Amino acid sequence: MLQLALAATFVVIPAVGRRCGPDAQWAAESEVARQKVPAAVLAEHRISFGASRTSVIVAVSIGLCLAALASLNLAGNEAGRIVSWIFLPIVFILGCIIMPGEVFPTRYIESAFKKSGDPVLVSLNVKAIVDAAVGVYPAWFPWVTAARLLLATLGSLLAILLLAMPSANVYFG
């Protein structure tokens, strides 16, 4: 069930990101312009508040793989269990490396801007920019993003442990 819940987040998040992303990007760029900085600075530094076609394809593919593995595991298929032991650690690593930036974008963008050494970037009020972009998304969206982080990290570890328990040997036997 953990895999199914995680799979759902890998479908919902990019779908909403694709739908709301252009408006969120516009809101962020408007806030940058309000701060008397050219709006193009976000694009120049590859700061995007939407989902690209490629990111949607990758995320949905991961979601479909997780759903297939969950179905195999729920059916007691040993192949699903073995592939889950391979796939879930990869999802865990993704959860540790990539997803925190989605849950805590202000901190990650501020850090990147400080590392750039560009005084224009450092002077930006990143919180206002992120707030403008996030304000375009549905109110429940940050909760789903946080749930994906938790499911990808702690949920993946728990699923791996559950699949490795002696009782799982009987179930998959």
Side-chain angles (χ1 to χ4, degrees), residues 74 135 154 166:
L74 288 171
L154 299 177

PDB file of all heavy atoms in Angstrom, residues 74 135 154 166:
ATOM      1  N   LEU A  74       1.221  -7.147  -3.746  1.00  0.00           N
ATOM      2  CA  LEU A  74      -0.080  -7.464  -3.139  1.00  0.00           C
ATOM      3  C   LEU A  74      -0.599  -8.831  -3.585  1.00  0.00           C
ATOM      4  O   LEU A  74      -1.319  -9.498  -2.841  1.00  0.00           O
ATOM      5  CB  LEU A  74      -1.101  -6.368  -3.467  1.00  0.00           C
ATOM      6  CG  LEU A  74      -0.882  -5.045  -2.734  1.00  0.00           C
ATOM      7  CD1 LEU A  74      -1.795  -3.969  -3.298  1.00  0.00           C
ATOM      8  CD2 LEU A  74      -1.097  -5.210  -1.232  1.00  0.00           C
ATOM      9  N   GLY A 135       1.660  30.274  -4.480  1.00  0.00           N
ATOM     10  CA  GLY A 135       0.293  30.764  -4.335  1.00  0.00           C
ATOM     11  C   GLY A 135      -0.615  30.411  -5.499  1.00  0.00           C
ATOM     12  O   GLY A 135      -1.839  30.426  -5.366  1.00  0.00           O
ATOM     13  N   LEU A 154      11.124   7.499   4.126  1.00  0.00           N
ATOM     14  CA  LEU A 154      10.727   6.591   5.209  1.00  0.00           C
ATOM     15  C   LEU A 154       9.834   5.460   4.711  1.00  0.00           C
ATOM     16  O   LEU A 154       9.965   4.318   5.145  1.00  0.00           O
ATOM     17  CB  LEU A 154      10.025   7.378   6.316  1.00  0.00           C
ATOM     18  CG  LEU A 154      10.868   8.463   6.977  1.00  0.00           C
ATOM     19  CD1 LEU A 154      10.038   9.226   7.997  1.00  0.00           C
ATOM     20  CD2 LEU A 154      12.111   7.879   7.606  1.00  0.00           C
ATOM     21  N   PRO A 166      10.609 -12.174   8.020  1.00  0.00           N
ATOM     22  CA  PRO A 166      10.345 -13.598   7.863  1.00  0.00           C
ATOM     23  C   PRO A 166       8.889 -13.904   7.479  1.00  0.00           C
ATOM     24  O   PRO A 166       8.640 -14.823   6.699  1.00  0.00           O
ATOM     25  CB  PRO A 166      10.685 -14.179   9.241  1.00  0.00           C
ATOM     26  CG  PRO A 166      11.660 -13.218   9.823  1.00  0.00           C
ATOM     27  CD  PRO A 166      11.257 -11.873   9.293  1.00  0.00           C
TER      28      PRO A 166
END
